[in-house]
Every structure is written in structure tokens, then in C-alpha cells.
Amino acid sequence: MSEIKKFMYVNRKAPYGTVYALESLEVVLIGAAFDQNVSLAFLDDGVFQLLKGQDTKGIGMKNFSPTYSALGDYDVTQIYVERESLEERGLTLDDLLPLKYEDEDDDWAEKDSIRLVNREELAGLMEDQDVMLNF
């Protein structure tokens, strides 16, 4: 049996204009399919990736933000958003997609996947990972 490692995918870029956000999302889904302990962190302009109501018609790109709602189906339930990054951009938790998962250990209760953490907490979480991939 292979060892389960902790993978954190760190998202620092805005969702469009580069391939980083979409590439990160695709890699997360692949990693989760291999039964690894996967978490995501959103900081800096990466917090815009989780913004509700994204409209990409004007830039001619596909809006891939609805895919984030599938993360819970892949057991990706640890999504950390840095509080300071949200505040610096004039955003709150209410501006973000309502990402949920069903907790099989709690009679399939629906729970929030997004956890708001401060910089110090996020740094501690990063130190606890086996592998970190930055996008």
C-alpha cells in the first residue's frame, strides 16, 4: 500500500489571462483521483478564482469557475482562503462561491469546504505539507 502524502496547491494568480488557474484545477482533480490528501490555498489575486458570478463573455474565454463546485465530489474538502488577501481586495467570504461537500462521517451532512485563515495560520498549514505546488 502506498503512503498517502499531503499535497497543497497554492493559487496566487487571477483566474484568467494566464493558464495557471485552470492548470491548477486540472492537476488538483488528478491528484485527488489518486487518493492523496489534497488541499488548496488561495491567496493574493488567486482569491479571484473563487469569486461568484464570473462572466467571461467579454474576454472570449470559457468560465471554468463552476468546476470548483465538483471538488467535494473528489473529496477535496480543505480549501483555505487567506483572510488578508480577501480584505486587501475589498472582498468577503460572501463574495466567494459557496463550495460544499457531504461529510460521510457525519451522516452525509453538507459542510462548507472554504476555511478562512490568516497569514500565520496559512504558513503553519504550508509547513505541514509533504508537497506544495505553486500556481
Side-chain angles (χ1 to χ4, degrees):
M1 183 171 191
S2 64
E3 176 185 350
I4 295 176
K5 294 192 176 219
K6 291 182 175 182
F7 284 77
M8 178 178 271
Y9 299 87
V10 180
N11 298 277
R12 297 174 183 266
K13 307 282 187 197
Y16 305 101
T18 69
V19 297
Y20 292 108
L22 181 57
E23 292 287 324
S24 171
L25 185 56
E26 290 177 346
V27 171
V28 165
L29 294 173
I30 292 168
F34 286 98
D35 291 329
Q36 298 300 314
N37 183 326
V38 173
S39 63
L40 289 99
F42 292 88
L43 57 152
D44 301 331
D45 284 343
V47 298
F48 289 119
Q49 294 180 33
L50 299 178
L51 203 59
K52 288 180 193 170
Q54 295 180 32
D55 182 359
T56 59
K57 291 176 188 161
I59 59 173
M61 295 183 72
K62 181 177 180 179
N63 178 359
F64 59 87
S65 66
T67 308
Y68 289 106
S69 62
L71 291 172
D73 296 335
Y74 286 81
D75 293 328
V76 178
T77 62
Q78 302 169 84
I79 300 175
Y80 302 102
V81 175
E82 187 189 70
R83 179 184 312 274
E84 290 86 346
S85 293
L86 271 184
E87 291 172 354
E88 290 164 3
R89 286 151 184 85
L91 300 172
T92 69
L93 194 55
D94 290 336
D95 295 312
L96 304 182
L97 297 165
L99 302 180
K100 309 276 185 191
Y101 72 98
E102 294 178 345
D103 187 349
E104 66 183 73
D105 296 329
D106 190 12
D107 198 25
W108 301 102
E110 191 172 80
K111 297 184 176 179
D112 292 324
S113 296
I114 294 178
R115 299 171 195 163
L116 205 54
V117 295
N118 64 36
R119 283 192 175 128
E120 185 177 333
E121 292 168 319
L122 187 56
L125 290 165
M126 289 177 170
E127 287 179 14
D128 194 37
Q129 302 301 310
D130 296 310
V131 178
M132 282 199 354
L133 299 166
N134 289 287
F135 291 89

